């Protein structure tokens, strides 16, 4: 896309936007190459909002002006969008189970098939149970994930942990709540579907109410089941691996990032100066967790595309061995790599797909937003090489790769005759 834009003398963002899907299905350009209809495309308004909030056009002009007056340091800026399909491609993994237990004192315990690894899954599952039963969050506790409680669990992967397990917890809670609502309706002589669970209270249509704890106690005395299991399978998805056709994703998560970088053309060093992100998580279940996931995923992606280089020994007794195998050699980002200008916002959107509270996955999609860093570095290299030169920048864009791209584009790079790698020719 960047090369096409250079050839056409256009902003790379314009080329990217020209290749967007239609926002309304049926308007053309609404099917993927694997045959799935795109029903929820929101990148158009999302990118437009980010262009305004990040002041993209003014900053791009400022970058061009800077590059025209600085010989050694060059800057680049790029806005790249992301469209990320959510579901396991292996359809059988798109299922989850849960079990919810309500005790006589009104406390609630939840267990499900998801693994907590710092992404906030357990917190969100507690939120689901608390919301569905109308109790304070501190009344809900999580039991550790264990296949002796919930069998045949799918991997907590593909950014689907909340989608799958959240709906399973929701399903279990709905069964318990329905039985409690029937009891409340019987005691108040009203309709069960009009019973409301909220703020630790259960209220019938005629205004009669009970604390959740009291109603649970009465349910126990009446021998009403106070626990249940829940199950969920992602609907509509299917995929023919032989024909490469189907609908492998239930929905798509969208986002975009603006990254501004600077490179030193003498050393190849690069630094991210500023990042603005606007990401679509649907109706966020927990904005604090979601923003943290976006920030963490983006920084991880920065490392993937700038410093995390894999190198295998080519000669000698250790030929074929991975040399970048430890923190001393495999370089991941640190807090020092986080840019001074760092803005992350959530796009105001509701998932069109019937997910838990119309939220969207937020694990892996933000990782891809870091492509904007690589694209911005490429723009900076282009500025150093000259607009009429072809740039071939490899990822990760390490200092060595940046120097190679600059010198190669200027005709000053040649491969060593001994086959031992490249050398910069003075």
């Amino acid at each position: 896309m960047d090369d096409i834009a250079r050839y056409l003398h256009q902003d790379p963002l314009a080329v990217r936007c020209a290749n967007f899907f239609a926002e309304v299905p049926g308007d053309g350009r609404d099917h993927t190459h694997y045959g799935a209809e795109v029903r929820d495309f929101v990148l158009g308004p999302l990118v437009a909002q980010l262009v305004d909030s990040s002041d993209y056009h003014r900053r791009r002009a400022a970058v061009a002006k800077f590059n025209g007056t600085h010989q050694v340091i060059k800057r680049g800026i790029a806005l790249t969008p992301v469209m990320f399909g959510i579901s396991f491609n292996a359809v059988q993994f798109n299922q989850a189970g849960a079990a919810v237990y309500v005790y006589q004192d009104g406390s609630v315990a939840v267990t499900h098939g998801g693994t907590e690894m710092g992404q906030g899954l357990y917190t969100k599952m507690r939120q689901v149970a608390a919301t569905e039963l109308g109790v304070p969050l501190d009344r809900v506790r999580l039991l550790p994930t264990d296949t002796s409680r919930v069998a045949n669990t799918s991997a907590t992967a593909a950014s689907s942990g909340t989608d799958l397990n959240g709906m399973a917890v929701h399903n279990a809670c709905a069964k318990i709540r329905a039985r409690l609502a029937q009891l409340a309706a019987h005691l108040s002589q009203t309709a069960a579907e009009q019973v409301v669970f909220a703020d630790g209270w259960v209220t019938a249509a005629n205004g009669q109410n009970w604390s959740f704890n009291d109603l649970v106690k009465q349910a126990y005395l009446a021998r009403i089941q106070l626990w249940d299991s829940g199950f969920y399978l992602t609907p509509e998805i299917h995929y023919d691996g032989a024909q490469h056709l189907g609908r492998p994703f239930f929905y798509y998560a969208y986002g975009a990032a603006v990254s501004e970088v600077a490179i030193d053309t003498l050393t190849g060093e690069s630094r991210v100066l500023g990042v603005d992100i606007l990401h679509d998580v649907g109706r966020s279940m927990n904005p604090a967790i979601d923003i943290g996931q976006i920030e963490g995923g983006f920084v991880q992606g920065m490392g993937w595309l700038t410093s995390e280089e894999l190198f295998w020994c080519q000669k000698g007794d250790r030929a074929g061995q991975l040399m970048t195998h430890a923190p001393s050699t495999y370089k991941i980002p640190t807090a020092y790599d986080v840019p001074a200008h760092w803005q992350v916002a959530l796009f105001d959107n509701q998932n069109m797909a019937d997910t838990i509270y119309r939220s969207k996955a937020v694990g892996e999609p933000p990782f891809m937003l870091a492509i904007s860093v690589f694209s911005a570095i490429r723009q900076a290299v282009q500025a150093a090489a000259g607009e009429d030169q072809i740039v071939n920048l490899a990822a990760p864009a390490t200092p060595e790769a940046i120097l190679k791209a600059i010198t190669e584009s200027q005709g000053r790079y040649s491969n060593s005759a001994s086959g031992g790698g490249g050398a910069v020719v003075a």
Side-chain angles (χ1 to χ4, degrees):
M1 293 262 181
D2 290 345
D3 284 338
I4 292 171
R6 180 183 63 83
Y7 180 81
L8 296 174
H9 302 289
Q10 290 190 14
D11 183 341
L13 176 60
V15 177
R16 290 183 167 93
C17 291
N19 285 275
F20 281 174
F21 287 104
E23 292 180 23
V24 179
D27 286 354
R29 198 189 285 273
D30 60 357
H31 280 73
T32 67
H33 60 281
Y34 42 84
E37 182 182 53
V38 179
R39 307 170 183 173
D40 59 354
F41 195 79
V42 297
L43 267 181
L46 187 152
V47 167
Q49 182 178 328
L50 181 60
V51 166
D52 290 340
S53 64
S54 67
D55 204 8
Y56 170 75
H57 291 301
R58 182 197 64 78
R59 290 168 61 187
R60 188 167 186 269
V63 165
K65 182 178 180 180
F66 177 92
N67 289 338
T69 57
H70 291 76
Q71 188 67 27
V72 175
I73 304 299
K74 297 294 183 180
R75 290 186 177 180
I77 187 170
L79 191 160
T80 61
V82 168
M83 174 181 175
F84 199 103
I86 304 298
S87 288
F88 285 100
N89 292 145
V91 177
Q92 68 272 19
F93 294 150
N94 295 285
Q95 60 177 303
V100 177
Y101 310 91
V102 178
Y103 296 91
Q104 292 183 55
D105 63 353
S107 63
V108 181
V110 177
T111 186
H112 54 83
T115 300
E116 175 63 55
M117 57 190 87
Q119 81 277 38
L121 177 64
Y122 275 15
T123 298
K124 288 185 175 181
M125 296 305 98
R126 291 176 62 219
Q127 286 182 257
V128 172
T131 300
E132 292 307 305
L133 298 175
V135 299
L137 188 62
D138 62 10
R139 297 294 288 163
V140 182
R141 71 181 189 277
L142 258 294
L143 302 177
T145 298
D146 192 320
T147 51
S148 67
R149 295 189 178 100
V150 177
N152 305 318
T153 59
S154 295
T156 305
S159 305
S160 60
T162 295
D163 285 357
L164 296 174
N165 296 288
M167 290 297 272
V169 171
H170 177 282
N171 179 244
C173 289
K175 296 175 184 177
I176 299 169
R177 188 183 64 216
R179 289 193 285 270
L180 291 174
Q182 287 287 351
L183 174 61
H186 172 73
L187 294 174
S188 60
Q189 294 300 296
T190 59
E193 57 269 18
Q194 294 179 311
V195 175
V196 176
F197 293 73
D199 301 321
W201 289 85
V202 182
T203 306
N206 63 1
Q208 186 175 354
N209 61 13
W210 307 262
S211 71
F212 182 80
N213 298 358
D214 288 343
L215 187 65
V216 165
K217 183 66 175 179
Q218 293 193 52
Y220 171 75
L221 295 175
R223 297 185 295 177
I224 293 173
Q225 182 179 337
L226 290 171
W227 61 271
D228 221 315
S229 61
F231 181 76
Y232 175 75
L233 59 87
T234 308
E236 299 185 66
I237 57 175
H238 57 92
Y239 188 66
D240 184 334
Q243 299 296 322
H244 301 293
L245 294 173
R247 189 185 178 206
F249 305 118
F250 188 35
Y251 64 89
Y252 298 91
Y254 300 93
V258 176
S259 292
E260 186 173 346
V261 306
I263 65 170
D264 186 324
T265 60
L266 299 180
T267 66
E269 179 186 3
S270 67
R271 173 152 295 280
V272 181
L273 304 176
V275 172
D276 293 79
I277 294 173
L278 183 61
H279 197 68
D280 168 32
V281 297
R283 287 281 173 252
S284 176
M285 288 180 59
N286 191 313
I289 288 177
D290 289 345
I291 288 175
Q293 286 286 282
I294 293 167
E295 291 174 343
F298 183 88
V299 172
Q300 186 178 5
M302 282 172 50
W304 170 54
L305 289 170
T306 61
S307 64
E308 298 181 32
E309 184 176 27
L310 296 177
F311 173 73
W312 286 267
C313 184
Q314 298 180 15
K315 297 180 179 180
D317 295 339
R318 302 183 67 183
Q321 291 187 23
L322 180 65
M323 304 303 290
T324 49
H325 58 80
S328 60
T329 52
Y330 186 73
K331 304 300 183 183
I332 65 173
T334 68
Y336 182 71
D337 296 297
V338 175
H341 175 80
W342 178 245
Q343 298 290 331
V344 178
L346 302 180
F347 184 62
D348 186 13
N349 187 36
Q350 174 175 294
N351 197 347
M352 291 179 62
D354 186 16
T355 56
I356 185 70
Y357 305 139
R358 299 289 174 166
S359 63
K360 287 189 176 185
V362 69
E364 295 167 341
F367 181 86
M368 307 307 295
L369 294 172
I371 292 172
S372 60
V373 172
F374 182 80
S375 186
I377 291 175
R378 201 170 186 275
Q379 296 294 325
V381 171
Q382 188 76 66
E387 291 303 317
D388 59 337
Q389 300 297 320
I390 295 175
V391 168
N392 182 20
L393 177 64
T398 60
E400 294 85 354
I402 291 172
L403 280 179
K404 179 183 177 183
I406 294 173
T407 55
E408 191 176 52
S409 66
Q410 296 173 344
R412 296 189 296 113
Y413 186 91
S414 67
N415 286 325
S416 170
S418 65
V424 177
V425 180

